[in-house]
Amino acid sequence: MAELGTSLGIVVGYLAITLAVGLVAYRLTDRSAEDYYLASRSVGTVVLLFTTFATLLSAFTFFGGPNLAFSAGPEWILVMGLMDGILFALLWYAIGYKQWLVGKAHGYVTLGEMLGDRFGSTGLRGLVAGVSLLWLFPYVMLQQIGAGQALVGLTDGAVPYWAGAAMITVFMVAYVALSGLRGVAWTDTLQGVFMLGVVWLAVAWVASAAGGVSALTAGMAQANPEFASLGGGLYSPQWMIGTAVVIAFGVAAFPQVNQRFFMADRAETLKRSFALWPVLVLLLFVPAFLLGSWAVGLGITVPDGSNVLPILLNEYTPAWFAALVVAGALAAMMSSSDSMLLSGSSYFTRDLYRPFVAPDASDAREGWIARVGVAVFAASTFVASLLVGGGGGLDVLVTLGDTAFGGYAQLTIPLLLALYWARTTKWGMVAGIAAAEAVYIPHALFAGDVAFLSTTYLTWDYALWCMLVSLVVTVGVSLVTTAAPAENAEKFGVGAD
């Protein structure tokens, strides 16, 4: 009972600190939509770096990644820690810097708003928002599921799943609805620093208790010699390259990440951030995945449906530290979900409500609609998280959440063409996005279960082939349709051919 009280005290204390940060940010937030969504484009290097970093982290960081390393070897570090760190930094510059320039010049808040203005198309704006919300909804739901399950495991069932998911949801809605992006960015920075500290403490504690890094690595190699050699695990080069590319391109179009390209206070902030990004990614993912790999040599047994990291820490660290790690996992989930809620609300109000329902809505009214949207979006995903597994086809939501990176990756190549190729047309964009998603979604849901839908073609992941579809269709249709007015392209700094 004492351990349960300590564990809950740590988690609730952390949540209270997060809410306090949100309340402070609320005092500095005005009622305009731009301040609520983008903190008036005033974010500096440290906060931009950490809020983007923390926003990308989810239950995968503490649970899924170590589980992969435990089952298939540490080479995932090359995918998530190195390849994706570098790839996304390059895309941050190619997409983010250009978005920041045009966003600051023309007041864009969302990706759909920017592309809609580039091509003079409300329909394209709605399509981008609709596709983004399609993948965002189940991804938020998965974070709530993860939070509920983490609290069930921490309290040994004393806190039921629904109560844990509800508690996290209420806290997120409170500080997101109150403080907007400013509060989210500040809490993300707090959560990012906390997560880095916890995972490195875990590495140090386990290494100290288990005989040191050399002994742990030797034990891993002895238990599974393939884990000690590059290419010796279950990962093929095609799998590693394909996964890295899909994740990096997907991240660039994730609403909660893409909007951060608009919020920097100046160009130097963006440039410093993308230069530091690979270092920060390595600092988190290397220790997290090493813990999963080391567990192989320690003889850790992981029951079906369980996660290796909590079991490892329960074996080699005190209960209060295990609670800290669960709090770190909750921080990862919250730092993803809070930004998703805010971005989902902005995509709905800015790209659907305002252009299609209330074109004359004031900025202040949009700001309040956005706050209501956060609560409605969170409540909807929470209800879905309770119903998943209860029938009604809701397992489809889980599949969509698991494949969201590939779904967003289908937007990125058309986005790059819109930013850099003057000949890109509205119909090219619509056709490219629609065709790629139309091919990708059936694969995401049924690949491997339906005879003519495979998970790979010529050994490469189906998501990569769908990205190729987006490129070919966008270019092909653009070449045979009328381009947008030259002044639209010129606003983006795209010269005529």
Side-chain angles (χ1 to χ4, degrees):
M1 184 62 71
E3 286 187 356
L4 174 61
T6 300
S7 299
L8 282 177
I10 289 172
V11 172
V12 172
Y14 176 78
L15 294 176
I17 292 171
T18 300
L19 183 59
V21 171
L23 290 172
V24 172
Y26 174 71
R27 296 174 63 88
L28 300 175
T29 300
D30 65 35
R31 301 301 168 259
S32 70
E34 182 176 76
D35 193 72
Y36 183 68
Y37 294 138
L38 300 179
S40 295
R41 308 178 198 269
S42 63
V43 177
T45 302
V46 173
V47 174
L48 178 63
L49 184 63
F50 270 97
T51 188
T52 308
F53 171 67
T55 291
L56 277 176
L57 305 178
S58 63
F60 175 82
T61 309
F62 285 84
F63 297 140
N67 287 350
L68 266 178
F70 179 75
S71 63
E75 287 170 311
W76 181 262
I77 292 170
L78 293 176
V79 176
M80 200 69 185
L82 183 60
M83 295 168 68
D84 260 329
I86 295 171
L87 278 173
F88 181 62
L90 294 174
L91 287 170
W92 192 327
Y93 180 78
I95 296 175
Y97 181 54
K98 191 70 171 288
Q99 275 195 213
W100 179 81
L101 289 173
V102 298
K104 190 173 182 66
H106 304 291
Y108 301 135
V109 170
T110 68
L111 176 62
E113 181 180 16
M114 181 184 76
L115 292 176
D117 190 48
R118 162 76 167 86
F119 296 100
S121 173
T122 303
L124 175 61
R125 183 175 180 175
L127 174 64
V128 171
V131 168
S132 299
L133 291 172
L134 168 70
W135 297 109
L136 194 66
F137 184 94
Y139 203 70
V140 173
M141 180 198 70
L142 289 184
Q143 305 311 307
Q144 291 166 317
I145 291 173
Q149 291 174 342
L151 285 174
V152 169
L154 176 66
T155 63
D156 199 23
V159 175
Y161 163 76
W162 69 265
M167 180 172 70
I168 297 301
T169 301
V170 168
F171 268 90
M172 284 193 303
V173 169
Y175 71 78
V176 173
L178 280 173
S179 58
L181 192 281
R182 198 183 311 276
V184 167
W186 289 1
T187 55
D188 281 352
T189 302
L190 170 69
Q191 289 161 348
V193 172
F194 178 69
M195 284 183 282
L196 279 176
V198 164
V199 75
W200 279 105
L201 276 174
V203 166
W205 210 310
V206 171
S208 176
V213 173
S214 297
L216 284 165
T217 305
M220 176 195 73
Q222 184 176 4
N224 193 330
E226 290 188 341
F227 283 15
S229 61
L230 184 63
L234 300 180
Y235 308 123
S236 68
Q238 293 95 323
W239 183 89
M240 286 194 288
I241 294 170
T243 302
V245 169
V246 170
I247 290 176
F249 275 71
V251 162
F254 251 117
Q256 71 274 21
V257 174
N258 189 272
Q259 275 193 305
R260 275 152 176 74
F261 297 152
F262 290 125
M263 60 189 273
D265 57 354
R266 51 200 175 121
E268 290 75 18
T269 295
L270 272 174
K271 293 176 181 179
R272 283 193 295 264
S273 297
F274 73 70
L276 292 170
W277 175 261
V279 177
L280 198 58
V281 170
L282 282 172
L283 283 175
L284 181 72
F285 285 109
V286 167
F289 299 157
L290 279 179
L291 287 169
S293 302
W294 286 344
V296 174
L298 293 172
I300 298 294
T301 301
V302 182
D304 290 341
S306 298
N307 298 298
V308 64
L309 193 56
I311 296 172
L312 174 67
L313 295 177
N314 283 333
E315 184 74 23
Y316 288 94
T317 67
W320 64 265
F321 185 77
L324 267 183
V325 174
V326 172
L330 290 175
M333 297 170 202
M334 289 171 59
S335 61
S336 293
S337 299
D338 56 12
S339 297
M340 292 180 205
L341 290 175
L342 186 61
S343 293
S345 174
S346 69
Y347 275 49
F348 175 76
T349 57
R350 195 86 176 183
D351 296 329
L352 299 177
Y353 170 77
R354 191 158 193 168
F356 293 103
V357 178
D360 298 325
S362 67
D363 201 40
R365 178 177 176 80
E366 183 186 340
W368 283 113
I369 291 293
R371 287 171 166 84
V372 173
V374 166
V376 172
F377 196 84
S380 301
T381 55
F382 171 66
V383 171
S385 75
L386 298 181
L387 296 177
V388 162
L394 286 175
D395 55 331
V396 169
L397 291 178
V398 176
T399 302
L400 289 176
D402 287 339
T403 54
F405 283 98
Y408 283 114
Q410 310 313 316
L411 294 172
T412 304
I413 290 179
L415 168 60
L416 282 166
L417 291 170
L419 290 173
Y420 289 100
W421 188 40
R423 189 64 184 83
T424 312
T425 69
K426 173 184 71 174
W427 290 114
M429 292 290 293
V430 170
I433 293 170
E437 295 291 349
V439 176
Y440 181 80
I441 290 174
H443 278 82
L445 295 175
F446 306 116
D449 297 326
V450 176
F452 57 87
L453 295 177
S454 176
T455 56
T456 60
Y457 296 96
L458 302 177
T459 73
W460 293 95
D461 189 274
Y462 66 83
L464 288 175
W465 294 103
C466 294
M467 291 170 64
L468 181 61
V469 169
S470 74
L471 172 63
V472 171
V473 174
T474 302
V475 171
V477 174
S478 292
L479 289 174
V480 297
T481 52
T482 304
E487 58 268 22
N488 287 27
E490 289 168 1
K491 289 198 312 188
F492 279 56
V494 181
D497 290 340

